[in-house]
Amino acid sequence: FSFFIGIGTGKGVGNRSKIKEQSYEINYHITFNDQQELDVFLVGRNSQYLFYVTEGDSIVSVSPIAGIIKQMKKINTEKE
């Protein structure tokens, strides 16, 4: 149990630093049901919500998945 708490805390601290310094890489493309499209850095997700930051932003946005998100694609972030 302590292992999972430690991993979760470490990941949260790392994401907070990336967001604060805006050193994150956009890694997902989201299409909403109203045809709005966003390229985002996905912070996390659970069964009901997506947590993400848009490019150049330092505020985490939350969107419900059910009835709002039409499609989500992972963007290839590997550098050649």
Side-chain angles (χ1 to χ4, degrees):
F1 178 74
S2 297
F3 174 76
F4 292 112
I5 296 295
I7 294 295
T9 302
K11 187 175 179 182
V13 169
N15 279 339
R16 182 181 66 185
S17 296
K18 285 181 183 179
I19 292 168
K20 185 177 180 182
E21 298 166 5
Q22 294 187 0
S23 62
Y24 51 84
E25 289 187 27
I26 300 301
N27 57 0
Y28 277 88
H29 180 82
I30 301 173
T31 304
F32 295 89
N33 282 341
D34 65 358
Q35 303 308 315
Q36 178 186 6
E37 297 182 357
L38 290 176
D39 290 330
V40 301
F41 168 64
L42 189 66
V43 177
R45 65 179 161 203
N46 60 27
S47 60
Q48 296 183 9
Y49 298 99
L50 290 179
F51 303 89
Y52 59 89
V53 179
T54 56
E55 188 171 9
D57 205 353
S58 60
I59 297 173
V60 176
S61 299
V62 180
S63 289
I65 295 172
I68 303 295
I69 305 294
K70 181 178 180 179
Q71 186 178 46
M72 202 169 110
K73 290 183 182 179
K74 182 152 178 71
I75 297 172
N76 187 3
T77 57
E78 291 181 20
K79 296 181 180 178
E80 297 179 15

